[in-house]
Amino acid sequence: LLVKEFLDDSFRWINSGYVLTKGAEFSLQYRKNNIKGTFDFTYNDSEDENGSKIPEISKFTSGFTFYYYLNSIFGFGIRGRYYSERDNPKKIKTEENNKIDDYFILNSGINLKVSQNMKINFFIENLLDTKYWHPSNLPPDRYRQPGRTLRLRFLYEF
């Protein structure tokens, strides 16, 4: 368990105590011809030595990917991730509680192999423009994550 140790006007992180984690992971992968798919599920129930739940960690997460290779030059895919509700380390003033809502994120991508050395990728991240937050134990109370984002990448390998 990492905890803050205060020293005069500063602090440092030290290992102190322990965390007990109960959980399980499950995943499947499918691949046939030009199709590749995955599914995963994780259960995580963690608490400190006093029996307090560890904040910032979703109890349930799951996801899937689907990718289709049209040929050796072109392919496209989609990826979804779900995170269950989790606790923020401190109270969120605008919500009057310390809960980070559950959320689902969907990303997609297109890949084009231009030559042996050059590839072009186009990604749409957070395709559904989901409003979601990341926990914080510092100001601000929580961090808004990016909305729908478009990204174009050119890769040249030599």
Side-chain angles (χ1 to χ4, degrees):
L1 178 64
L2 292 174
V3 296
K4 273 185 184 178
E5 179 182 58
F6 292 94
L7 311 162
D8 298 325
D9 60 348
S10 66
F11 70 90
R12 67 180 179 174
W13 292 97
I14 62 169
N15 287 317
S16 178
Y18 67 89
V19 171
L20 174 64
T21 300
K22 295 176 269 181
E25 291 183 332
F26 171 78
S27 64
L28 292 171
Q29 184 176 52
Y30 175 83
R31 185 181 294 220
K32 185 170 182 181
N33 300 327
N34 295 355
I35 296 174
K36 179 181 176 185
T38 64
F39 172 78
D40 64 83
F41 176 82
T42 301
Y43 168 75
N44 183 325
D45 187 17
S46 299
E47 54 187 47
D48 66 18
E49 58 201 356
N50 300 318
S52 298
K53 297 293 181 192
I54 303 296
E56 302 185 43
I57 300 173
S58 296
K59 195 173 215 176
F60 303 102
T61 59
S62 64
F64 70 89
T65 60
F66 173 81
Y67 199 84
Y68 181 74
Y69 301 89
L70 186 63
N71 51 40
S72 63
I73 296 172
F74 180 78
F76 61 91
I78 194 161
R79 178 179 184 208
R81 297 287 312 153
Y82 170 77
Y83 297 86
S84 67
E85 176 184 85
R86 54 190 162 160
D87 290 338
N88 199 47
K90 63 181 184 174
K91 184 178 179 180
I92 302 166
K93 292 176 186 146
T94 58
E95 302 295 319
E96 296 297 322
N97 63 43
N98 70 329
K99 300 293 181 191
I100 301 285
D101 290 334
D102 66 331
Y103 59 92
F104 175 75
I105 301 297
L106 195 60
N107 300 321
S108 64
I110 297 172
N111 300 299
L112 178 65
K113 185 175 181 179
V114 178
S115 70
Q116 185 65 30
N117 300 69
M118 186 175 186
K119 298 174 187 165
I120 300 173
N121 310 117
F122 176 68
F123 302 102
I124 303 175
E125 297 170 348
N126 194 359
L127 185 66
L128 304 175
D129 203 22
T130 302
K131 184 177 178 179
Y132 68 107
W133 305 86
H134 186 73
S136 171
N137 60 359
L138 302 169
D141 295 337
R142 59 186 176 170
Y143 294 98
R144 171 87 190 266
Q145 296 302 293
R148 185 178 301 117
T149 305
L150 308 177
R151 193 163 42 106
L152 183 62
R153 179 171 67 178
F154 295 92
L155 295 168
Y156 186 81
E157 298 172 337
F158 55 94

